[in-house]
Amino acid sequence: MSEIIVGRNAVLEALKSNREIEKITIAEGAGGSVRQIAAKAKEKRIPVYYSEKKRLDRTAQGEAHQGVIAVVSDYRYCTVDDILKKAEELGEDPFLVILDGLEDPHNLGAIMRTAECAGVHGIVIPKRRSVSVTETVAKTSAGASEHMMCAKVANIAGELDRLKKNGIWTAACDMDGETYWGKDLTGPLALVVGGEGRGVSRLVREKCDFIVSIPMKGMINSLNASNAASILMYEVVRQRNIHI
């Protein structure tokens, strides 16, 4: 099976990665960074076609394609062991983000974008009742999905047990936990973020070593999942930098 990636940044990042691209279609008359995309595609011997903008509009089905669409092979998921191996090869303490029941592809894309910038080694999602890596995710991530490892697992709670046996601390982002800046988030860590609305499930919460929370001062009592994840990821970055 194949899928499409739309937008200049997303397609350019796909070209920079090892993602297998079947072809790229460019709107006739498109300029700017599209020329760079065409040049890189030709360097990699990827077929480039030119078409009327209205045809790209139909293919993109409402997505803002910015004059370029790539047809790529399905996203290649990895294993959690692959993520841990990556951290080992970099000589860094493992840093994972585990998403418990996230359903909005825009949230996953935003989390992938922040995770890639923050040095997260990989993201873990459940195989069922969860968003997958789609073209919407790729677009929202601004191409970060091409560089961020993502593993699908059958059971999040069981995976937490396995991570803990490997010496990795597990922290859930949820209400009634210790304020995040008061908790030591250095060392091997898996940060667990819940889905929209319901948050981290009871079983997964109970499996975690500790709970961290973000103070709420306004009338709204919760943050968007991607916003909460971003705050905590960069708290990990801050604390790790202090301890270098």
Side-chain angles (χ1 to χ4, degrees):
M1 277 182 75
S2 299
E3 62 176 298
I4 64 169
I5 290 178
V6 303
R8 300 184 183 191
N9 285 338
V11 173
L12 191 57
E13 292 302 325
L15 282 166
K16 292 177 182 178
S17 73
N18 293 321
R19 189 77 176 272
E20 184 178 341
I21 300 177
E22 297 176 12
K23 67 176 181 178
I24 293 176
T25 303
I26 293 173
E28 293 173 345
S33 59
V34 171
R35 294 194 184 98
Q36 181 186 1
I37 290 170
K40 284 185 174 294
K42 289 175 181 177
E43 285 176 11
K44 292 192 169 188
R45 297 184 179 180
I46 298 168
V48 177
Y49 300 93
Y50 293 86
S51 183
E52 296 178 348
K53 179 181 176 296
K54 61 183 180 182
R55 288 190 176 181
L56 273 72
D57 292 341
R58 288 197 297 269
T59 302
Q61 297 181 342
E63 293 286 333
H65 56 74
Q66 300 173 308
V68 59
I69 294 175
V71 177
V72 300
S73 300
D74 282 340
Y75 182 85
R76 294 178 183 175
Y77 293 95
C78 66
T79 66
V80 174
D81 286 337
D82 291 331
I83 296 173
L84 299 180
K85 183 179 179 182
K86 177 183 178 181
E88 182 180 3
E89 289 173 347
L90 292 171
E92 299 173 350
D93 286 330
F95 182 15
L96 295 81
V97 173
I98 298 177
L99 304 177
D100 181 28
L102 199 73
E103 296 179 348
D104 186 343
H106 295 91
N107 273 334
L108 177 55
I111 289 170
M112 280 189 153
R113 184 173 186 173
T114 304
E116 205 281 327
C117 293
V120 172
H121 298 112
I123 288 173
V124 181
I125 60 176
K127 290 182 178 179
R128 297 181 180 178
R129 295 186 292 277
S130 173
V131 66
S132 296
V133 181
T134 63
E135 62 268 23
T136 300
V137 172
K139 175 68 175 177
T140 306
S141 76
S145 61
E146 298 300 324
H147 306 286
M148 177 53 54
M149 300 180 78
C150 183
K152 272 189 173 183
V153 298
N155 185 285
I156 292 292
E159 200 61 41
L160 291 174
D161 286 335
R162 196 170 75 87
L163 288 172
K164 288 194 282 187
K165 288 179 182 177
N166 281 278
I168 297 173
W169 290 86
T170 56
C173 174
D174 207 358
M175 303 294 288
D176 304 323
E178 184 175 346
T179 303
Y180 72 87
W181 59 69
K183 199 69 181 177
D184 184 358
L185 300 177
T186 60
L189 181 72
L191 181 64
V192 183
V193 178
E196 302 85 359
R198 68 181 182 85
V200 179
S201 65
R202 180 189 59 80
L203 178 59
V204 168
R205 177 186 167 116
E206 291 174 355
K207 289 283 185 180
C208 290
D209 292 308
F210 54 89
I211 312 296
V212 291
S213 63
I214 299 171
M216 297 289 123
K217 300 296 185 181
M219 299 299 292
I220 299 174
N221 63 3
S222 66
L223 286 170
N224 173 281
S226 62
N227 292 336
S230 296
I231 290 170
L232 294 175
M233 280 188 270
Y234 268 95
E235 175 63 14
V236 174
V237 172
R238 185 189 73 82
Q239 290 191 20
R240 287 188 172 191
N241 285 341
I242 288 174
H243 285 78
I244 288 177

